[in-house]
Amino acid sequence: MIGLMQSQQLLISSLMDFAERHHGDAEIVSRRVEGDIHRTNYRQIAARSKQVAHGLDHMGLGFGDRVATLAWNGYRHLELYFGVSGSGRVLHTLNPRLHPEQIVWIANHAQDQVLCFDMSFLPIVQAVHANCSTIKHYVALCDANKLPTDTGIPGLQSYEAWIGAHSTDYHWPEFDEDSASSMCYTSGTTGNPKGVLYSHRSTLLHAFAGALPDALNISARDCILPVVPMFHVNAWGLPYCAAMTGCKLVFPGPSMDGKSIFELMESEGVNFAAGVPTVWQMLLGYLQSNQRRFSTLKRTVIGGAACPPAMMQSFQVDYGVEVLHAWGMTEMSPLGTVCTLKNKHAKLDAAQQMQVRLKQGRGIFGVDMKIVDDNRAELPWDGKTSGDLLVKGPWVVSEYFGSDGASPLVDGWFPTGDVATIDADGYMQITDRSKDVIKSGGEWISSIDVENIAMAHPGVAMAACIGMKHPKWDERPIIVVVTKPGVTLTRDEVLAFFVGKTAKWQVPDDVVFVDAIPLGGTGKMQKSKLRDMLRDYRLPGA
């Protein structure tokens, strides 16, 4: 027997229709590349998204053709999010922090037809366009009078002139909800990047789950600042959650320093922000150096890398901001877990609650997970036993774009590459990446645990733990440290800080001071590059 309910496809265009109809006057605020603050709302975003759709029709793009972006978080990028996908094309967000050769490879592999870019990325486009064999149209996200001449880019046109030539009256097409909506490539730390192709259905289900109270808890009463970039994994789905709920959005544009982020939060009344630890480290550094405090920020979601306990403690104790620890992957759209407390935790004291909050959290509805040993046997949820983390769900990748049917799945589960524990209440905690875990004398050492201790030192700005070859113990950990400005630390001072905080055999053998730790395009530490930097390093006495 089939249910007697209306059948409607889950399409991204329906999100903008809803936002326009029910939350049309809700604000969208952007700090632009031009330097000013721009204000619009969902009603205007909807109209301009339809102009984008008309513009793509006029270019002759077919259903499923790829439209690439090289853009910061801003209202024009948001219009492309909905105008491209809503019209049946595929939005392909390129990461401008990648090397030009990687951008060329990705654009050609994706067979992008159009590239829309912010003017700050003009030098990148000038460097790559001659080698991007499938791109036929280039659009600069600027006013017509700001379009530079003699760029060397054939047929370059301004975004405002392009969409301004078209009507705001557009009927969104109806099609299968399993059609591709957008794509993002993995960072490619090993081998070439891999394309993850999201569907309309997966994107809407992800938005539903992400907005739930036990996930990101998003509503029309919120003012959200997505610092996490729109050029990577759909800004963690926040643009879609925002349209679904009608919340106010504030976009930081290219200004990602602590001072600029704080001032935007204060001027716009931001109560919820999302970002990676490296960005929040800059924000906290600005607050501490200038004796500033938040007046409206109430909660922040931190993901992309494990949140150091010292950072969570600072946000929650020093500034009264609740931290939602989260975990996910490009292959997961990306949300997998969010750490919110259960009713049973309400009576715990602050220290006990903090021990829960430091975990990556519980799987949100739609994500199932398990940990397995080397033989793929499932391991117990006891909070102690660690194993390889596997996931599955309706917004988890089944195969990579262009893989000709080859699947990364193992018995229907996606292997994340993370090593984790899961406790009896379903709280998952990443103990390491499988490639970063350190094996010393037959025992495993979590690089994350070592980093967290180092990050708690008041003089440490950033720390990364890596394993180094040892003739007796196989590997031994070292800690690579960037000190805070004006701070001088010695090796012995750092190592002394570990005493009493971890087992003696887990204390690093050495401290290496560097000016900067290499970061990837999404703000994560690139340990592969760090290892390459230290390829001539030898452990003391090894």
Side-chain angles (χ1 to χ4, degrees):
M1 180 181 290
I2 303 298
L4 302 177
M5 308 303 289
Q6 294 182 20
S7 178
Q8 296 184 345
Q9 300 296 315
L10 298 176
L11 301 177
I12 285 174
S13 57
S14 67
L15 292 175
M16 188 47 65
D17 280 345
F18 176 82
E20 177 187 18
R21 184 175 178 85
H22 297 279
H23 303 282
D25 62 351
E27 272 195 302
I28 312 290
V29 181
S30 306
R31 178 180 278 130
R32 303 202 302 175
V33 170
E34 293 89 332
D36 62 336
I37 298 295
H38 179 275
R39 297 182 184 277
T40 184
N41 56 39
Y42 284 110
R43 186 175 297 112
Q44 293 170 345
I45 292 289
R48 286 164 60 87
S49 297
K50 292 174 181 178
Q51 290 179 299
V52 169
H54 273 302
L56 296 174
D57 290 347
H58 186 74
M59 284 177 173
L61 263 70
F63 185 82
D65 281 346
R66 270 73 75 199
V67 178
T69 63
L70 274 170
W72 299 108
N73 292 13
Y75 69 101
R76 289 171 174 142
H77 207 173
L78 188 67
E79 292 160 5
L80 290 166
Y81 259 58
F82 290 95
V84 173
S85 299
S87 65
R89 284 83 181 198
V90 177
L91 179 80
H92 176 203
T93 53
L94 287 165
N95 189 336
R97 294 169 179 161
L98 296 177
H99 189 278
E101 290 182 1
Q102 286 183 300
I103 292 175
V104 168
W105 188 93
I106 291 171
N108 288 336
H109 187 265
Q111 299 179 331
D112 295 329
Q113 303 288 304
V114 182
L115 175 57
C116 302
F117 62 93
D118 269 326
M119 288 305 299
S120 51
F121 300 127
L122 175 60
I124 296 177
V125 180
Q126 289 174 315
V128 305
H129 80 273
N131 296 312
C132 294
S133 58
T134 62
I135 298 178
K136 302 180 180 68
H137 307 276
Y138 291 88
V139 180
L141 300 177
C142 66
D143 294 319
N145 62 359
K146 297 292 177 63
L147 188 69
T149 57
D150 301 324
T151 62
I153 300 171
L156 179 63
Q157 56 186 316
S158 91
Y159 179 81
E160 295 301 332
W162 175 51
I163 69 168
H166 301 289
S167 169
T168 59
D169 183 16
Y170 185 86
H171 180 71
W172 297 114
E174 292 281 335
F175 44 81
D176 191 319
E177 63 186 17
D178 285 320
S179 300
S181 64
S182 51
M183 68 192 310
C184 182
Y185 277 69
T186 62
S187 57
T189 53
T190 55
N192 287 321
K194 299 179 178 66
V196 181
L197 192 59
Y198 311 110
S199 70
H200 286 258
R201 178 178 184 270
S202 71
T203 301
L204 261 72
L205 292 176
H206 181 270
F208 272 121
L212 285 171
D214 259 4
L216 304 183
N217 191 21
I218 297 173
S219 77
R221 296 172 293 284
D222 285 316
C223 176
I224 297 179
L225 176 68
V227 181
V228 55
M230 293 173 72
F231 58 69
H232 186 67
V233 206
N234 308 319
W236 297 352
L238 286 172
Y240 304 118
C241 291
M244 181 177 282
T245 60
C247 68
K248 177 179 176 179
L249 276 174
V250 180
F251 291 124
S255 302
M256 305 292 281
D257 60 285
K259 181 176 185 291
S260 297
I261 293 294
F262 175 76
E263 290 177 348
L264 198 57
M265 286 178 170
E266 292 298 297
S267 64
E268 297 301 326
V270 171
N271 70 330
F272 178 44
V276 298
T278 48
V279 173
W280 291 152
Q281 194 70 40
M282 289 189 293
L283 177 61
L284 290 174
Y286 172 76
L287 294 176
Q288 293 160 358
S289 299
N290 295 274
Q291 290 79 51
R292 304 298 299 272
R293 297 191 66 82
F294 300 111
S295 62
T296 60
L297 187 67
K298 300 303 179 186
R299 68 190 197 280
T300 178
V301 58
I302 300 179
C307 176
M311 178 180 291
M312 186 178 294
Q313 188 83 9
S314 183
F315 265 117
Q316 300 203 164
V317 177
D318 299 340
Y319 297 102
V321 176
E322 179 186 10
V323 172
L324 299 175
H325 210 178
W327 168 85
M329 302 181 70
T330 303
E331 289 90 342
M332 298 176 66
S333 301
L335 288 179
T337 66
V338 180
C339 195
T340 56
L341 300 181
K342 291 186 174 184
N343 180 266
K344 65 163 60 178
H345 300 127
K347 295 181 181 179
L348 297 179
D349 62 33
Q352 292 171 317
Q353 288 186 356
M354 180 63 74
Q355 290 306 308
V356 178
R357 292 181 186 276
L358 286 171
K359 299 182 179 185
Q360 274 66 36
R362 295 178 279 128
I364 60 178
F365 177 79
V367 174
D368 196 6
M369 59 186 177
K370 67 178 180 178
I371 49 175
V372 299
D373 63 18
D374 291 342
N375 297 316
R376 299 298 181 190
E378 187 166 358
L379 297 171
W381 289 20
D382 57 12
K384 300 176 182 178
T385 306
S386 63
D388 294 323
L389 180 64
L390 278 63
V391 294
K392 65 178 180 179
W395 57 78
V396 179
V397 71
S398 61
E399 63 181 84
Y400 293 107
F401 176 74
S403 64
D404 296 324
S407 174
L409 304 187
V410 177
D411 299 325
W413 293 78
F414 176 74
T416 66
D418 284 314
V419 179
T421 63
I422 305 176
D423 68 19
D425 290 319
Y427 286 82
M428 183 271 291
Q429 185 166 22
I430 301 293
T431 57
D432 223 327
R433 291 289 291 168
S434 58
K435 60 188 176 185
D436 292 333
V437 70
I438 300 163
K439 192 169 187 179
S440 180
E443 298 289 343
W444 296 107
I445 298 175
S446 166
S447 66
I448 293 175
D449 288 346
V450 177
E451 289 161 3
N452 285 341
I453 294 173
M455 285 293 293
H457 192 290
V460 173
M462 189 175 294
C465 176
I466 57 176
M468 287 294 178
K469 293 296 182 184
H470 191 280
K472 180 178 179 181
W473 304 113
D474 189 22
E475 281 186 312
R476 288 297 300 157
I478 66 168
I479 191 75
V480 183
V481 168
V482 178
T483 59
K484 290 182 178 178
V487 173
T488 300
L489 283 176
T490 66
R491 171 186 183 273
D492 290 344
E493 287 173 333
V494 173
L495 294 181
F497 191 72
F498 281 84
V499 176
K501 298 180 177 69
T502 189
K504 186 176 180 180
W505 62 273
Q506 293 180 331
V507 174
D509 277 14
D510 199 12
V511 181
V512 177
F513 294 97
V514 297
D515 293 332
I517 290 172
L519 302 178
T522 58
K524 296 180 182 179
M525 293 187 294
Q526 290 190 309
K527 292 188 178 180
S528 58
K529 289 189 176 180
L530 188 60
R531 294 185 187 99
D532 189 55
M533 284 172 52
L534 300 175
R535 59 184 177 275
D536 295 327
Y537 171 87
R538 293 293 180 269
L539 282 166

